[in-house]
Amino acid sequence: LYGDLKMQVPFPFSLLCLQVIKCKAAVLWEANKPFSIEEVEVAPPKEHEVRVKIVATGICRSDDHVITGALVMPFPIILGHEAAGVVESVGQGVTAVKPGDKVVPLFVPQCGECQNCLNTKGNLCSKTDLGTSGGLMADGTTRFTCKGKAIHHFLGTSTFTEYTVLHESAVAKIDSAAPLEKVCLIGCGFSTGYGAALQTAKVEPGSTCAVFGLGGVGLSVIIGCKVAGASRIIAVDINSDKFAKAKELGATDCINPKDFNKPIHEVLTEMTGGGVDYSFEVIGRTDTMTAALACCQYNYGVSVIVGVPPAAQKITFDPMLLLTGRSWKGSVFGGWKSKDAVPKLVADYMKKKFVLDPLITHTLPFTKINEGFDLLRTGK
């Protein structure tokens, strides 16, 4: 039968069984409103696309930025970008993964063809949806519908749903033995912080570091600084409840700016006898970005911006801070080339080269996603 028909059918028969999947998703219909758990339709993957069953997803401040309007995206939308799951089906031409493979979605894809992917210094693939506010797949359409309305994608991932569709360049196959409820953090928070220290700043043994912000990403920076051999890691946060976890993961000092009558950069400069070698801003505030720059050693200090700043905010600083020799850098996804790095980071986790468990404060059922965001906003 196939012999008789194959000239008329331009694709394998297996693709004919791909169906629309109905599942639960957390839809954000408009800004500053709670998520609504809805039944959505998830279309089959098109050419070079992959449909993934999401097993675990993390809550990130960047998702909350969309809710508050600080990060402008089109509505309605399915947020989420830090996750792990299992491939359910693949579209025509997909060769990197197959149904049943464990994967981590990549909000920074790796196409392997653009200028940034081809350059050893770059990792921000031009195919990323970061900064474009597009909310659509490469062909300009969406794979999600709800109540007859098209629902936008977020950063090419959209993981706040039981099933999602991604381009194959935005999926990394990982160790089949990896615990998805742990390694989902490698999809964003952990890799971003850990890489900011190891890849972007290239922290050296014996160096001094300051980390502004002790959320999951800031704690991951501390892990990276410790792995790199930093001799002093100063953790900075206005929430002193976070100090115990920071010390557990490698911070040598913890300071609360509220405890001082002088600017925090002056406190850090005095503490270190002239400024730290490396500083990291992991909050997303322009005032702490300039403070992190100012607390660096004036001639050779390096400061890395990791936190996502609110849209339309501008930064003002004294150019002498840079003229004397300091370096100011930005870091997206820790500087890692995602598709290459994520499987290796998962392998390192499996070899116990770093821990992830302390970064997980709560585990909630998917339907309690709004409670999860309340915990995020209250610093818990």
Side-chain angles (χ1 to χ4, degrees), residues 24-222:
K24 288 180 183 175
V27 177
L28 191 67
W29 292 100
E30 55 185 302
N32 295 302
K33 291 290 177 68
F35 290 97
S36 179
I37 302 298
E38 305 276 9
E39 182 181 79
V40 299
E41 293 84 42
V42 184
K46 295 186 179 181
E47 188 174 11
H48 294 296
E49 293 178 355
V50 180
R51 189 160 59 184
V52 174
K53 177 180 174 62
I54 298 295
V55 173
T57 185
I59 288 174
C60 180
R61 181 68 72 176
S62 301
D63 301 307
D64 195 43
H65 284 338
V66 179
I67 299 170
T68 63
L71 187 60
V72 179
M73 289 286 167
F75 294 102
I77 191 168
I78 294 175
L79 298 178
H81 61 284
E82 178 183 88
V86 180
V87 174
E88 177 270 336
S89 58
V90 299
Q92 185 179 7
V94 173
T95 57
V97 294
K98 64 184 184 305
D101 284 347
K102 286 187 175 181
V103 294
V104 168
L106 307 171
F107 75 92
V108 174
Q110 185 181 346
C111 71
E113 300 170 354
C114 71
Q115 185 178 16
N116 292 346
C117 284
L118 293 173
N119 193 302
T120 57
K121 298 176 184 177
N123 79 312
L124 190 56
C125 176
S126 65
K127 298 286 197 300
T128 184
D129 200 26
L130 191 65
T132 66
S133 302
L136 300 170
M137 297 296 283
D139 66 352
T141 65
T142 174
R143 302 293 167 269
F144 300 118
T145 54
C146 180
K147 299 176 180 176
K149 295 183 179 179
I151 309 296
H152 292 89
H153 295 251
F154 178 56
L155 300 182
T157 49
S158 289
T159 62
F160 291 168
T161 171
E162 292 175 323
Y163 287 87
T164 191
V165 177
L166 312 98
H167 191 271
E168 67 172 329
S169 63
V171 178
K173 181 181 175 180
I174 61 169
D175 186 342
S176 61
L180 299 183
E181 74 280 6
K182 309 282 197 236
V183 300
C184 63
L185 300 185
I186 291 173
C188 178
F190 175 77
S191 301
T192 296
Y194 189 67
L198 295 178
Q199 284 283 111
T200 307
K202 294 182 168 56
V203 171
E204 298 160 317
S207 58
T208 58
C209 303
V211 181
F212 289 69
L214 303 178
V217 183
L219 293 173
S220 299
V221 174
I222 290 173

